[in-house]
Amino acid sequence: MLLRLIGGAALVVVTIGVLFMIAMRTKSSTLQKPIKAMNKNFSNPRALEDAGQEDAKWSVIRHIGRTSGTAYETPVGMYDTDDSLFVVLPYGTNTDWYKNLAAAGGGTAVHKGVTYEFT
């Protein structure tokens, strides 16, 4: 009985992993919707606790809502080179924070404790 329960749990985990990979590779909005909801409601608030700090895993993009005018902070994966910063776009350009930045013509990024204004 216990072996069957463990096998069932493993199957569920593998299935979720496969669906996640398919969603991210195909950019399927139907499959990405629950992932985005989980990030927005669970992962992002926890990532923002230390995002942007010198030793943090995540950086922060600060932007203004294009219709609401509300200020937002979104944790992002950001990497630097000698003269540039790169932001990971796992969902492509179809995210609210990206659309807000495009509509405003720029925003602010906090990466490794340093704040950058950009256009």
Side-chain angles (χ1 to χ4, degrees), residues 51-56 59 110-116:
Q53 295 177 20
E54 191 172 337
D55 59 347
S59 299
V110 183
H111 178 64
K112 294 184 180 177
V114 179
T115 300
Y116 301 90

PDB file of all heavy atoms in Angstrom, residues 51-56 59 110-116:
ATOM      1  N   ALA A  51      15.027  40.473  -2.434  1.00  0.00           N
ATOM      2  CA  ALA A  51      15.401  40.738  -3.822  1.00  0.00           C
ATOM      3  C   ALA A  51      16.050  42.106  -3.959  1.00  0.00           C
ATOM      4  O   ALA A  51      15.652  43.068  -3.310  1.00  0.00           O
ATOM      5  CB  ALA A  51      14.170  40.652  -4.726  1.00  0.00           C
ATOM      6  N   GLY A  52      17.072  42.163  -4.794  1.00  0.00           N
ATOM      7  CA  GLY A  52      17.778  43.413  -5.051  1.00  0.00           C
ATOM      8  C   GLY A  52      18.932  43.679  -4.105  1.00  0.00           C
ATOM      9  O   GLY A  52      19.787  44.510  -4.393  1.00  0.00           O
ATOM     10  N   GLN A  53      18.970  42.957  -2.993  1.00  0.00           N
ATOM     11  CA  GLN A  53      20.076  43.146  -2.056  1.00  0.00           C
ATOM     12  C   GLN A  53      21.353  42.547  -2.621  1.00  0.00           C
ATOM     13  O   GLN A  53      21.328  41.740  -3.550  1.00  0.00           O
ATOM     14  CB  GLN A  53      19.729  42.529  -0.706  1.00  0.00           C
ATOM     15  CG  GLN A  53      18.555  43.223  -0.032  1.00  0.00           C
ATOM     16  CD  GLN A  53      18.167  42.563   1.277  1.00  0.00           C
ATOM     17  OE1 GLN A  53      18.953  41.836   1.880  1.00  0.00           O
ATOM     18  NE2 GLN A  53      16.947  42.808   1.726  1.00  0.00           N
ATOM     19  N   GLU A  54      22.472  42.949  -2.065  1.00  0.00           N
ATOM     20  CA  GLU A  54      23.778  42.584  -2.612  1.00  0.00           C
ATOM     21  C   GLU A  54      23.977  41.080  -2.793  1.00  0.00           C
ATOM     22  O   GLU A  54      24.526  40.638  -3.785  1.00  0.00           O
ATOM     23  CB  GLU A  54      24.879  43.149  -1.711  1.00  0.00           C
ATOM     24  CG  GLU A  54      26.243  43.049  -2.323  1.00  0.00           C
ATOM     25  CD  GLU A  54      27.294  43.776  -1.526  1.00  0.00           C
ATOM     26  OE1 GLU A  54      26.943  44.703  -0.769  1.00  0.00           O
ATOM     27  OE2 GLU A  54      28.470  43.411  -1.666  1.00  0.00           O
ATOM     28  N   ASP A  55      23.504  40.282  -1.862  1.00  0.00           N
ATOM     29  CA  ASP A  55      23.727  38.843  -1.941  1.00  0.00           C
ATOM     30  C   ASP A  55      22.467  38.049  -2.316  1.00  0.00           C
ATOM     31  O   ASP A  55      22.422  36.830  -2.177  1.00  0.00           O
ATOM     32  CB  ASP A  55      24.283  38.324  -0.618  1.00  0.00           C
ATOM     33  CG  ASP A  55      23.357  38.600   0.553  1.00  0.00           C
ATOM     34  OD1 ASP A  55      22.402  39.395   0.390  1.00  0.00           O
ATOM     35  OD2 ASP A  55      23.580  38.033   1.634  1.00  0.00           O
ATOM     36  N   ALA A  56      21.440  38.736  -2.822  1.00  0.00           N
ATOM     37  CA  ALA A  56      20.172  38.081  -3.143  1.00  0.00           C
ATOM     38  C   ALA A  56      20.240  37.346  -4.477  1.00  0.00           C
ATOM     39  O   ALA A  56      20.984  37.725  -5.387  1.00  0.00           O
ATOM     40  CB  ALA A  56      19.049  39.115  -3.190  1.00  0.00           C
ATOM     41  N   SER A  59      16.718  39.953  -8.484  1.00  0.00           N
ATOM     42  CA  SER A  59      16.762  41.410  -8.592  1.00  0.00           C
ATOM     43  C   SER A  59      15.325  41.914  -8.628  1.00  0.00           C
ATOM     44  O   SER A  59      14.386  41.123  -8.656  1.00  0.00           O
ATOM     45  CB  SER A  59      17.502  41.820  -9.863  1.00  0.00           C
ATOM     46  OG  SER A  59      18.835  41.341  -9.820  1.00  0.00           O
ATOM     47  N   VAL A 110      16.808  47.162  -9.441  1.00  0.00           N
ATOM     48  CA  VAL A 110      17.719  47.075  -8.302  1.00  0.00           C
ATOM     49  C   VAL A 110      18.415  45.724  -8.411  1.00  0.00           C
ATOM     50  O   VAL A 110      17.760  44.676  -8.382  1.00  0.00           O
ATOM     51  CB  VAL A 110      16.986  47.212  -6.951  1.00  0.00           C
ATOM     52  CG1 VAL A 110      17.988  47.181  -5.804  1.00  0.00           C
ATOM     53  CG2 VAL A 110      16.150  48.470  -6.913  1.00  0.00           C
ATOM     54  N   HIS A 111      19.726  45.766  -8.581  1.00  0.00           N
ATOM     55  CA  HIS A 111      20.508  44.545  -8.811  1.00  0.00           C
ATOM     56  C   HIS A 111      21.762  44.599  -7.941  1.00  0.00           C
ATOM     57  O   HIS A 111      22.547  45.541  -8.032  1.00  0.00           O
ATOM     58  CB  HIS A 111      20.887  44.464 -10.299  1.00  0.00           C
ATOM     59  CG  HIS A 111      21.723  43.291 -10.650  1.00  0.00           C
ATOM     60  ND1 HIS A 111      21.279  41.989 -10.539  1.00  0.00           N
ATOM     61  CD2 HIS A 111      22.987  43.214 -11.110  1.00  0.00           C
ATOM     62  CE1 HIS A 111      22.225  41.168 -10.945  1.00  0.00           C
ATOM     63  NE2 HIS A 111      23.283  41.891 -11.295  1.00  0.00           N
ATOM     64  N   LYS A 112      21.902  43.610  -7.082  1.00  0.00           N
ATOM     65  CA  LYS A 112      23.051  43.501  -6.183  1.00  0.00           C
ATOM     66  C   LYS A 112      23.266  44.777  -5.377  1.00  0.00           C
ATOM     67  O   LYS A 112      24.391  45.262  -5.219  1.00  0.00           O
ATOM     68  CB  LYS A 112      24.303  43.137  -6.979  1.00  0.00           C
ATOM     69  CG  LYS A 112      24.240  41.761  -7.609  1.00  0.00           C
ATOM     70  CD  LYS A 112      25.536  41.414  -8.307  1.00  0.00           C
ATOM     71  CE  LYS A 112      25.420  40.027  -8.911  1.00  0.00           C
ATOM     72  NZ  LYS A 112      26.617  39.654  -9.650  1.00  0.00           N
ATOM     73  N   GLY A 113      22.168  45.351  -4.896  1.00  0.00           N
ATOM     74  CA  GLY A 113      22.251  46.517  -4.037  1.00  0.00           C
ATOM     75  C   GLY A 113      22.401  47.847  -4.756  1.00  0.00           C
ATOM     76  O   GLY A 113      22.469  48.896  -4.122  1.00  0.00           O
ATOM     77  N   VAL A 114      22.454  47.848  -6.084  1.00  0.00           N
ATOM     78  CA  VAL A 114      22.621  49.074  -6.854  1.00  0.00           C
ATOM     79  C   VAL A 114      21.334  49.342  -7.633  1.00  0.00           C
ATOM     80  O   VAL A 114      20.760  48.437  -8.247  1.00  0.00           O
ATOM     81  CB  VAL A 114      23.810  48.958  -7.840  1.00  0.00           C
ATOM     82  CG1 VAL A 114      23.964  50.230  -8.660  1.00  0.00           C
ATOM     83  CG2 VAL A 114      25.080  48.636  -7.094  1.00  0.00           C
ATOM     84  N   THR A 115      20.872  50.601  -7.625  1.00  0.00           N
ATOM     85  CA  THR A 115      19.654  50.990  -8.336  1.00  0.00           C
ATOM     86  C   THR A 115      20.029  51.604  -9.674  1.00  0.00           C
ATOM     87  O   THR A 115      20.907  52.464  -9.757  1.00  0.00           O
ATOM     88  CB  THR A 115      18.850  51.998  -7.502  1.00  0.00           C
ATOM     89  OG1 THR A 115      18.512  51.382  -6.254  1.00  0.00           O
ATOM     90  CG2 THR A 115      17.574  52.409  -8.223  1.00  0.00           C
ATOM     91  N   TYR A 116      19.352  51.146 -10.738  1.00  0.00           N
ATOM     92  CA  TYR A 116      19.588  51.632 -12.088  1.00  0.00           C
ATOM     93  C   TYR A 116      18.285  52.175 -12.661  1.00  0.00           C
ATOM     94  O   TYR A 116      17.244  51.536 -12.557  1.00  0.00           O
ATOM     95  CB  TYR A 116      20.049  50.493 -13.005  1.00  0.00           C
ATOM     96  CG  TYR A 116      21.319  49.817 -12.562  1.00  0.00           C
ATOM     97  CD1 TYR A 116      21.287  48.715 -11.717  1.00  0.00           C
ATOM     98  CD2 TYR A 116      22.553  50.263 -13.015  1.00  0.00           C
ATOM     99  CE1 TYR A 116      22.446  48.084 -11.311  1.00  0.00           C
ATOM    100  CE2 TYR A 116      23.731  49.639 -12.619  1.00  0.00           C
ATOM    101  CZ  TYR A 116      23.669  48.556 -11.775  1.00  0.00           C
ATOM    102  OH  TYR A 116      24.826  47.924 -11.369  1.00  0.00           O
TER     103      TYR A 116
END
